[in-house]
Amino acid sequence: MTLRVYNTLTKSKEEFQPREANKASIYVCGVTPYNYCHVGNARPYVVWDVFRRYLEYKGYEVQHVQNFTDVDDKILARAAEENKKPGEIAGKFIEEYFADLDGLGVQRAHAYPRVTEHIQDIIDMVQGLLEKGYAYQVNGDVFYDVSQFKDYGKLSGRSLAELRAGARVEVDKRKNNPMDFALWKKAKPGEVSWSSPWGQGRPGWHIECSVMALKYLGENIDFHGGGVDLIFPHHENEIAQSEAFTGQTFVRYWVHNGFVNFSGEKMAKSLGNVVSIREAREQYSGMAVRLYLLSTHYRSPIDFDLEKLSAAQKGWERLQNVWKTLEQVLGKEGGQLPAPAPEDMGERGEKLLTEAQEALNRFEEAMDDDLNTALAVGVLFDLSREINSFLREPATTGEEKAVLAQARQIFQTISGVLGLVPAAELGDEGELLDSLIKIIIELRQEARKNKDYARADRIRDRLAKLGIVLEDAPQGVRYRRK
RNA sequence: GGCGACGUAGCCAAGCGGUAAGGCAGAGGACUGCAAAUCCUUUAUCCGCCGGUUCAAAUCCGGCCGUCGCCUCCA
């Protein structure tokens, strides 16, 4: 099966044909680090994380690049406010970005280029555009001349005429055409700036992505992504710059995710209705946030509220219980037991194996269809039910365990591609804690055996207060952290 | 005004021509010393409204209503 993705450029689902066999290049527009990331910001990064994992699952060697816009008006403003250097602000929030996204299980991209580290590359490209007649200089500012690029508007489906008619912004008189945009901005007094052939200044917003995408991934890259709001003008302008400069198609597949709304409006810092990732995580686990985001198809808008996170939290706990139960029955490693012969695995074993294999097929089908993670999540829950159902009666024979191990492998594969994997929450000190809890459980079991339920319940209650939940499951006592 | 998306059970959400996945919540049952976890059963005669096409439509076409996004910085 081949992966089909919805391409904003053609407004249709297309089969993914990589630029280079077995390789996939991804460029995702990153954040401007001037504040903490909110849940809306996180969506594209979670989506692209899954996209990347799935491509890798399908055998592609992926190059994933994501920028940081580490100099821009908002950073400058915040720096001025706090009496700090812009670089300090950017540096701090880049760190926070990683901390937050790590918590959602987002793998690191292969490169995170920053604007301030590519000033010369940017100047070179602007210079190139000037030489080719696609740009003009006015008094230290350099603008892109959209009238020179015949395909302008092809991504957002607008014509220059329409754009002009709909313009809601005061026209900058220095521009030839209202839709022209800045490639290089002349520095205001006292602002951070770099010297250039046009005087002191800094890059415009759009040029950085063209420069860095071309530098790290080359021409004709496979995927370029970001939120739908970036289609116009940002991505439209990137196309204009890059294709004018190289004469090649810039991007093969443009992929845009829908917004996260909050109380009916999009969640955006400018509207002030944001919930930061760390706020959400005060109450809910990172995996719950991730599950919430993946429970809706990436192109649909998704409405945020904390109660939905609560539902996702419950769902995640269910998934997590499957991991824990399997671990309890099969041990931490396992999983590699040889597949039993069909005639040896018994009726229920055969059923489980069939269901599990079918789940994997359904999973791939869902993901191949424009990364339908919502359906894929459904498959994962189906598989969970099959596994739990099988475990109602403990697996006794070696064959049954082997079947279970196979099912676990599929469960882990699907979970892994979706990135819904329990963190090693207990860490190093967990070893000790784990042993201690086991001792307590043992003592409680003795009390239960002696029908000293008051004592048994007291132990359970007091552990519960510490956030450690005991469950007397048919397979034995199990504990988990709340 | 132009461009675009969406409207499926109490809530969330798949399905996009063949007779409604999944999650959360609710109800009943099984298991359990109790609880938790888990399993089973159950919860939309129907997919915003009105027409049309078709043997067959939530799915296609037309109209209407409603919500949202983009056209300006924004994931």
Side-chain angles (χ1 to χ4, degrees):
Chain A
M1 275 295 284
T2 43
L3 173 62
R4 290 161 56 82
V5 287
Y6 183 88
N7 188 347
T8 308
L9 191 62
T10 57
K11 293 193 179 15
S12 57
K13 283 185 201 172
E14 295 175 15
E15 261 190 25
F16 172 50
Q17 306 276 7
R19 168 177 65 178
E20 213 180 320
N22 304 320
K23 291 191 177 179
S25 44
I26 301 173
Y27 185 91
V28 180
C29 287
V31 296
T32 299
Y34 74 102
N35 210 333
Y36 294 103
C37 274
H38 60 259
V39 177
N41 288 316
R43 166 121 98 146
Y45 308 121
V46 169
V47 166
W48 280 102
D49 182 57
V50 173
F51 214 129
R52 175 222 176 137
R53 288 169 189 255
Y54 189 58
L55 286 165
E56 285 173 346
Y57 168 77
K58 287 184 85 81
Y60 292 96
E61 188 188 314
V62 178
Q63 267 298 113
H64 173 197
V65 175
Q66 186 177 311
N67 68 299
F68 282 116
T69 303
D70 65 346
V71 57
D72 117 314
D73 290 344
K74 281 168 297 199
I75 293 177
L76 265 36
R78 178 129 191 185
E81 222 170 84
E82 298 189 10
N83 207 9
K84 285 184 180 148
K85 288 189 177 143
E88 288 178 61
I89 299 292
K92 171 179 163 54
F93 287 109
I94 284 171
E95 261 177 56
E96 301 293 357
Y97 169 88
F98 284 128
D100 286 339
L101 276 292
D102 285 352
L104 301 187
V106 172
Q107 291 182 325
R108 300 287 173 102
H110 299 92
Y112 288 97
R114 304 179 188 191
V115 177
T116 57
E117 290 165 2
H118 295 80
I119 300 294
Q120 190 55 51
D121 297 309
I122 289 170
I123 289 172
D124 291 346
M125 184 157 169
V126 172
Q127 190 70 49
L129 287 168
L130 277 164
E131 281 163 16
K132 287 176 196 246
Y134 283 101
Y136 54 94
Q137 196 214 139
V138 185
N139 238 328
D141 282 294
V142 181
F143 294 104
Y144 186 94
D145 184 350
V146 293
S147 68
Q148 292 301 306
F149 186 68
K150 60 181 188 318
D151 284 338
Y152 196 78
K154 69 176 174 181
L155 181 68
S156 52
R158 300 155 211 248
S159 67
L160 275 175
E162 277 168 13
L163 285 164
R164 218 166 291 149
R168 302 187 318 202
V169 162
E170 252 184 85
V171 177
D172 185 332
K173 293 208 178 56
R174 295 166 303 170
K175 293 180 182 177
N176 292 165
N177 185 310
M179 299 323 296
D180 289 351
F181 54 91
L183 293 171
W184 185 263
K185 299 163 101 160
K186 182 180 178 174
K188 296 186 184 120
E191 239 176 36
V192 272
S193 64
W194 290 263
S195 56
S196 77
W198 321 287
Q200 288 297 115
R202 61 187 166 97
W205 173 37
H206 313 293
I207 192 71
E208 58 175 278
C209 285
S210 289
V211 166
M212 296 191 280
L214 289 170
K215 175 165 180 170
Y216 289 87
L217 299 170
E219 293 165 6
N220 200 215
I221 61 179
D222 290 311
F223 299 105
H224 191 132
V228 280
D229 57 325
L230 296 181
I231 295 172
F232 189 88
H234 186 55
H235 289 162
E236 195 68 72
N237 292 349
E238 278 188 54
I239 291 176
Q241 293 162 344
S242 308
E243 300 194 351
F245 185 71
T246 66
Q248 300 292 318
T249 301
F250 178 42
V251 169
R252 302 162 66 80
Y253 304 90
W254 285 95
V255 179
H256 294 97
N257 62 274
F259 265 104
V260 175
N261 294 332
F262 191 32
S263 46
E265 282 179 307
K266 75 166 176 175
M267 183 183 288
K269 286 168 193 163
S270 54
L271 292 175
N273 63 345
V274 300
V275 174
S276 68
I277 295 172
R278 62 192 52 205
E279 280 174 298
R281 294 203 51 207
E282 280 168 16
Q283 289 180 65
Y284 305 101
S285 69
M287 284 300 129
V289 177
R290 189 175 176 105
L291 179 60
Y292 156 76
L293 289 172
L294 295 179
S295 293
T296 301
H297 183 88
Y298 76 86
R299 281 193 285 121
S300 303
I302 176 170
D303 207 59
F304 180 87
D305 76 62
L306 287 170
E307 289 186 16
K308 285 172 195 166
L309 236 37
S310 163
Q313 178 73 43
K314 289 279 176 57
W316 166 241
E317 279 168 17
R318 210 163 121 76
L319 258 18
Q320 211 175 358
N321 281 333
V322 178
W323 284 87
K324 297 214 166 131
T325 310
L326 285 169
E327 192 176 300
Q328 191 180 22
V329 176
L330 293 173
K332 271 204 160 71
E333 305 304 323
Q336 298 306 325
L337 298 168
E343 60 272 23
D344 293 336
M345 64 178 84
E347 200 179 315
R348 63 196 209 95
E350 206 177 323
K351 177 168 184 292
L352 178 64
L353 194 59
T354 311
E355 295 284 355
Q357 282 162 347
E358 219 159 88
L360 190 60
N361 289 337
R362 288 198 292 138
F363 170 73
E364 287 187 22
E365 241 169 74
M367 297 295 275
D368 279 336
D369 184 15
D370 195 27
L371 211 76
N372 192 336
T373 55
L375 226 196
V377 164
V379 171
L380 191 59
F381 277 106
D382 281 337
L383 179 57
S384 299
R385 194 177 353 89
E386 291 302 330
I387 291 171
N388 283 328
S389 174
F390 181 85
L391 283 169
R392 290 227 73 199
E393 292 170 43
T396 45
T397 67
E399 284 76 14
E400 282 185 334
K401 284 201 171 162
V403 169
L404 191 60
Q406 299 261 312
R408 165 154 89 167
Q409 208 163 31
I410 290 171
F411 177 81
Q412 291 183 342
T413 296
I414 295 175
S415 300
V417 172
L418 295 173
L420 293 168
V421 175
E425 282 156 287
L426 297 180
D428 287 335
E429 64 167 15
E431 294 290 327
L432 178 62
L433 193 57
D434 188 59
S435 310
L436 288 170
I437 293 170
K438 283 192 174 137
I439 292 169
I440 296 169
I441 287 174
E442 216 176 288
L443 293 171
R444 176 167 170 273
Q445 285 300 82
E446 279 171 26
R448 290 180 73 208
K449 206 174 240 169
N450 298 331
K451 302 220 188 293
D452 184 359
Y453 295 122
R455 182 184 296 262
D457 289 350
R458 199 167 72 231
I459 292 171
R460 188 171 61 193
D461 290 346
R462 295 197 58 183
L463 283 176
K465 280 189 184 134
L466 299 175
I468 293 162
V469 181
L470 296 192
E471 290 168 0
D472 303 327
Q475 298 85 9
V477 184
R478 170 172 74 202
Y479 83 88
R480 64 192 168 92
R481 285 192 135 188
K482 187 82 180 164

